[in-house]
Amino acid sequence: MHASQLITVLDGQLNDLAARIDVQGQALVQQSRLDPLLFSTRGNRLGDYLSESRATLSHLTSAVEQGRTERVAWLAQRLTDQMLALSRELATQKLRQERPSTAPAEDIYARLAECQDYERRLQAMIRDRDSLRSAADDLPRARRLQQEIAALEGPLMRCRQALTRLEYQIERRERGE
């Protein structure tokens, strides 16, 4: 697919997404549910994130005009990921509105314990693979183990972010907010 065709397709998909967001309305959300590595926006409306996606499309168009192929590929992937994230969030809006936003305190503590257990297991898996990697006597096996370690670090990071959010919720609850 030629770059100009790619931009046309992505622009059309972004416009379709914008129409779906407009139909559903601009409901406020309590906190951002979209990946902070994917969006720099910290708004509380999907329209705020849509605006950032439009800016990404604009940057993509500029990169195509400048002939920066590596930048085009990166921006196209980023825009696609942003649109997928917005679509998922849009699809779950109704479910989120139906579900009460505050959970009983016991649930938060149970989720905290589960996350802490999950974090310990991930750390143990990383340590095990790291010790196997350092003892590996052939390069392909060491590389494979290093890839496994890198793959485990993503879930570990997300787990730690969840732990931080849960600890913040508990702290707020204990202060009576």
Side-chain angles (χ1 to χ4, degrees), residues 47 54 80 94 101 105 107 145 158:
R54 288 193 189 282
T80 303
K94 188 172 183 179
S101 61
D107 289 347
L145 288 166
R158 288 189 298 277

Side-chain angles (χ1 to χ4, degrees), residues 4 10 24 26 32 50 71 78 94 101 114 124 138 152 171:
S4 61
L10 289 172
Q24 189 146 0
Q26 293 288 333
S32 171
L50 181 66
R71 181 93 171 134
R78 182 173 184 86
K94 188 172 183 179
S101 61
E114 286 175 18
D138 63 335
L152 288 169
E171 182 181 313

Side-chain angles (χ1 to χ4, degrees), residues 19-39:
R20 288 178 31 218
I21 288 173
D22 287 342
V23 167
Q24 189 146 0
Q26 293 288 333
L28 288 170
V29 293
Q30 295 287 17
Q31 66 183 29
S32 171
R33 295 182 191 96
L34 297 169
D35 187 352
L37 297 175
L38 195 55
F39 291 96

Side-chain angles (χ1 to χ4, degrees), residues 8 16 34 36 39 42 55 83 91 94 98 103 107 120-121 130 133 161-162 173:
T8 304
D16 291 344
L34 297 169
F39 291 96
R42 295 294 169 259
M83 290 190 306
K94 188 172 183 179
E98 293 172 0
D107 289 347
R120 280 191 292 274
R121 287 183 293 162
D130 192 41
R133 183 189 53 83
Q161 289 171 342
R173 210 172 255 183

